[in-house]
Amino acid sequence: MREVRSSSIGVGSVVGIISVLLWPLTAVSAGAQEVIELPSEDRRLEPVFEEVYRVGSLSGEDWEQFGNVRMVGFDGAGQLYIFDSQDDRIFVVSTNGEFVRAFGRPGDGPGEFRSPDALAVMRDGRVAIADIGHRAYHLFDAHGEFERRIRMPSEPGNLRLTELLPDPGGQAVYSVVGGQALGLVVGGSVRTTPHTTRPVERIMLTAEVAAKDTVAEGWLPDGDPNSLPIGDPMGLPPQKTFGPLMLAGVLPDGSVAFSDSTAYTVKIALPGVGLWRILKRPLQPIPVTNRVIEAEKQRRLEDLEAQSGNAGGGGIVVNGVRESSQSSRRRALERIEALEFFEEVSIIRNLKTGWDGEIWVQRHGEDPADRYGPVDVLDMDGRYLGTIPAGTIRLQTPVRPVGLAAFGPDGLAAFIERDEMDVKSVVVKRLVGR
């Protein structure tokens, strides 16, 4: 239920701008795994972000009248890449907010997309786009010129696209089996061997067909093969509400920090090495009661009503076609009615990694349904830097693209915002103090 299993992460430096008193560490050897016990009490951390520029406005320049800002990312020079999923375009913005270039468009030719839904920006400025319509990754060079298309490997079962995490070396992307789905293609041969873990996979983009290797094995609740129906189209059990999310981020050395349990546990795994470090805080998950269940169902219904008429969202991509808002709403109502709940509320609700090796961990708030509670900042060496109070920062998720969406060099961070007209803009800020 609160499983602590194998996984991988590396070692790196912390951004010098966050300068706080570091807590002493207690390291315990667990075979080849180092377990670091972090303090139980929060130490208040109040970061100061100064706005650098903002882009995206109905009254702005033509290029910044975005249809739907889906994802963003920085390169090593501090340029921002904005993926507009409505226009199937990637816009590049300079360090002072000026338009640099745009590339990508719908179509079947070189560098053209059928159904793009994930972006990864490499530190050298190269860009990878996952396209489930083409069943391929499109690779562009640092000038926005199309390099080549790498086919996705053929696998049994449905094709399920999740967020792409760029490899600092620029030769691969990372993906999480069991992470939040961005797109889905139904069909192909049935998966007869169900998943028993939620692996973090490294996808090498150096050949004509992408090659995968497993960096870390995340815990899969009900992951006993005997408990999963053979022939299940995804090979995965359904995710239970409040259950452990599979969350991951990539660190500067190519290692992976991830969370896979209801407990406060962050694991670090390194490709070719496996799990070697575990960071833990002695915080206890709260039980899921009938009151918690009813409150969560009501909250979801209210959210659904608030989103009605939202033209920018749409549903997930199925077989290369984005479902209509009506179909998405009907499916959402059915899902709310059929919700299943985990026994306890997972403490960690989101996780992101910074440019210099920080690990940002968002916990749930005082209300267990609140996904945007305090944010702990750790470093990849296992030091606790402090806790940002609830209500200060929201870490963006792939399916809720509003909040702190990407970190960049020199303390840069990109925030996706949405106004009362549901128009999205991107605000770039720089972390200058605490």
Side-chain angles (χ1 to χ4, degrees):
M1 180 180 343
R2 303 176 192 171
E3 178 127 330
V4 175
R5 263 214 206 189
S6 105
S7 225
S8 356
I9 269 193
V11 188
S13 58
V14 119
V15 69
I17 213 99
I18 302 178
S19 163
V20 297
L21 177 65
L22 301 179
W23 290 78
L25 311 180
T26 302
V28 180
S29 174
Q33 300 167 8
E34 177 188 34
V35 179
I36 298 177
E37 299 287 348
L38 304 176
S40 60
E41 297 297 322
D42 287 350
R43 178 179 179 83
R44 190 178 183 90
L45 187 64
E46 296 183 327
V48 176
F49 287 94
E50 285 187 354
E51 183 172 321
V52 181
Y53 64 83
R54 62 176 57 220
V55 293
S57 169
L58 292 177
S59 60
E61 301 290 337
D62 289 346
W63 69 267
E64 61 175 319
Q65 296 181 20
F66 306 125
N68 182 45
V69 176
R70 181 65 162 158
M71 294 177 180
V72 298
F74 287 97
D75 66 18
Q79 295 186 126
L80 179 69
Y81 295 67
I82 300 172
F83 172 38
D84 184 341
S85 62
Q86 184 169 304
D87 292 337
D88 288 350
R89 297 280 280 170
I90 296 92
F91 296 87
V92 184
V93 182
S94 72
T95 55
N96 59 0
E98 298 295 326
F99 174 78
V100 176
R101 72 179 71 89
F103 57 93
R105 62 184 179 184
D108 291 324
E112 297 179 341
F113 310 134
R114 286 183 185 169
S115 185
D117 224 339
L119 165 81
V121 181
M122 309 300 183
R123 297 196 173 202
D124 62 4
R126 294 160 68 239
V127 172
I129 297 286
D131 184 342
I132 58 175
H134 281 295
R135 285 182 174 258
Y137 302 97
H138 304 269
L139 197 61
F140 296 84
D141 69 16
H143 303 289
E145 297 296 327
F146 176 71
E147 284 189 358
R148 55 200 174 87
R149 186 185 293 169
I150 302 100
R151 296 198 309 274
M152 294 179 180
S154 178
E155 297 178 90
N158 297 335
L159 172 61
R160 187 173 189 265
L161 180 65
T162 62
E163 182 180 15
L164 295 185
L165 304 171
D167 171 33
Q171 301 301 311
V173 292
Y174 294 74
S175 182
V176 179
V177 174
Q180 293 179 304
L182 297 174
L184 176 67
V185 174
V186 179
S189 59
V190 175
R191 174 179 284 275
T192 57
T193 305
H195 290 288
T196 57
T197 66
R198 293 181 291 182
V200 179
E201 297 177 331
R202 182 175 58 175
I203 304 168
M204 301 301 298
L205 303 178
T206 53
E208 291 185 2
V209 179
K212 293 184 178 182
D213 67 314
T214 298
V215 179
E217 300 278 4
W219 174 49
L220 176 64
D222 301 322
D224 181 348
N226 297 320
S227 71
L228 298 178
I230 295 296
D232 175 82
M234 291 305 302
L236 288 165
Q239 172 73 47
K240 292 185 178 180
T241 304
F242 297 132
L245 302 173
M246 186 64 189
L247 305 165
V250 180
L251 294 164
D253 64 350
S255 59
V256 177
F258 70 98
S259 172
D260 62 352
S261 66
T262 59
Y264 192 109
T265 303
V266 176
K267 304 172 181 178
I268 298 179
L270 190 65
V273 175
L275 176 67
W276 69 279
R277 174 171 287 164
I278 300 173
L279 314 179
K280 301 174 67 176
R281 289 193 74 186
L283 307 179
Q284 297 303 313
I286 64 174
V288 172
T289 63
N290 289 335
R291 183 184 66 81
V292 171
I293 291 173
E294 292 306 313
E296 175 62 7
K297 286 186 175 182
Q298 183 60 35
R299 184 194 66 78
R300 294 194 181 204
L301 288 170
E302 291 172 357
D303 282 353
L304 187 60
E305 291 303 317
Q307 292 166 8
S308 62
N310 174 10
I316 65 172
V317 176
V318 179
N319 289 342
V321 178
R322 190 174 295 278
E323 65 181 3
S324 68
S325 57
Q326 294 87 351
S327 175
S328 179
R329 175 181 169 80
R330 182 172 62 252
R331 286 164 53 88
L333 287 170
E334 292 171 353
R335 286 195 297 268
I336 292 172
E337 181 63 29
L339 282 176
E340 295 186 16
F341 289 80
F342 207 70
E343 302 168 13
E344 55 191 15
V345 180
S346 302
I347 296 173
I348 297 179
R349 309 313 299 269
N350 206 345
L351 181 151
K352 286 188 179 295
T353 48
W355 196 265
D356 296 300
E358 315 84 41
I359 305 170
W360 297 61
V361 178
Q362 186 140 45
R363 294 146 41 193
H364 67 69
E366 292 186 8
D367 184 335
D370 181 4
R371 301 179 178 87
Y372 306 111
V375 175
D376 297 337
V377 184
L378 319 174
D379 76 5
M380 57 195 296
D381 292 322
R383 292 175 289 190
Y384 168 71
L385 303 179
T387 297
I388 302 168
T392 305
I393 287 179
R394 289 186 173 195
L395 299 184
Q396 176 252 19
T397 69
V399 295
R400 292 182 178 85
V402 174
L404 200 168
F407 290 98
D410 303 321
L412 291 175
F415 295 77
I416 298 177
E417 297 185 354
R418 175 185 287 155
D419 66 15
E420 65 278 359
M421 301 295 292
D422 202 41
V423 175
K424 290 180 183 175
S425 59
V426 183
V427 183
V428 171
K429 302 180 182 181
R430 178 171 277 111
L431 181 61
V432 296
R434 64 175 183 85

